[in-house]
Amino acid sequence: AATGVTVLFGPSGSGKSTLLRMLSGLQECAGEIRFGDQLWQSDDTRLAPWERPLGMMFQQPTLFRHLSVRGNLAYVMKRRGDTGDLDQVVNQTRIGDLLERSVTTLSGGEAQRVALARALLARPQLLLLDEPLSALDHGHKQELLSMIREIARQVPVIYVTHDLDELLNLSRQVWLMEQGRIVASGK
């Protein structure tokens, strides 16, 4: 199985986030979407976002504000119908000391680590990350970059950014986007 990080790179407005939303099923598109031997979308088929074996993480963490960190993680595990690898994911994202806190009290970096943990608990076969570091300071960026590099050894990642430093730090492969099209790709 392919692993590593494929970076979607290009200027703002080039279609990077739109492409991720199409892959995830959050936005309609024409044509066919396949992942390995799985058909996610065609003229006759359209898997709902929750039926696609992927995890997503956005620029702003999408956490349930009325739940604790533990509650946010439990929600994903309940939806998946299993207990997942909670201890492993908590250790991997270094959120053990945050479990009992309300998500409204988390810093930006902490919230992104919880969002990453939630995405991983879904046991994704593909991880879609849409500019997850853009709102973080340098220290939190470096911490999350390191985690994403580690995670990408087990799960393929498609990572949207317009930050050259993130591209150079993460990418195994790059897709350059301009005006809604991939105009170049390579290692």
Side-chain angles (χ1 to χ4, degrees):
T3 57
V5 178
T6 298
V7 172
L8 280 178
F9 187 76
S12 293
S14 62
K16 303 178 303 288
S17 295
T18 300
L19 178 57
L20 273 201
R21 286 195 306 275
M22 289 175 179
L23 290 173
S24 70
L26 294 173
Q27 185 167 327
E28 298 265 335
C29 68
E32 191 173 277
I33 297 175
R34 290 185 174 275
F35 179 71
D37 60 356
Q38 303 168 31
L39 178 62
W40 289 359
Q41 179 176 315
S42 69
D43 291 340
D44 308 320
T45 304
R46 185 169 188 275
L47 288 185
W50 57 88
E51 296 174 312
R52 299 176 190 209
L54 49 81
M56 281 202 73
M57 190 172 148
F58 300 94
Q59 186 173 357
Q60 296 299 321
T62 52
L63 301 174
F64 296 118
R65 297 179 60 76
H66 66 288
L67 295 175
S68 67
V69 169
R70 185 182 300 277
N72 269 272
L73 301 178
Y75 175 82
V76 173
M77 293 185 306
K78 184 177 178 185
R79 283 226 34 173
R80 296 289 304 172
D82 63 41
T83 55
D85 298 320
L86 180 61
D87 291 339
Q88 178 190 339
V89 169
V90 166
N91 290 335
Q92 194 171 22
T93 55
R94 299 194 278 285
I95 60 169
D97 59 334
L98 306 177
L99 290 174
E100 304 313 319
R101 288 188 38 199
S102 164
V103 297
T104 60
T105 68
L106 301 176
S107 71
E110 290 168 339
Q112 284 298 58
R113 291 193 339 250
V114 172
L116 182 57
R118 266 191 26 172
L120 292 173
L121 279 173
R123 294 187 180 186
Q125 295 174 22
L126 175 64
L127 198 54
L128 305 177
L129 305 181
D130 192 359
E131 299 198 42
L133 309 182
S134 62
L136 302 181
D137 62 44
H138 180 75
H140 285 114
K141 273 187 182 184
Q142 295 308 311
E143 181 181 36
L144 238 64
L145 278 171
S146 173
M147 286 180 194
I148 291 166
R149 264 194 307 275
E150 282 298 311
I151 289 161
R153 291 180 178 169
Q154 288 107 35
V155 179
V157 174
I158 297 180
Y159 187 98
V160 166
T161 189
H162 59 267
D163 183 296
L164 189 58
D165 186 49
E166 291 173 28
L167 175 135
L168 295 173
N169 263 294
L170 283 176
S171 63
R172 176 185 56 82
Q173 179 165 326
V174 178
W175 297 343
L176 178 63
M177 288 196 74
E178 288 179 7
Q179 299 176 344
R181 304 184 76 90
I182 295 173
V183 295
S185 66
K187 296 203 178 300

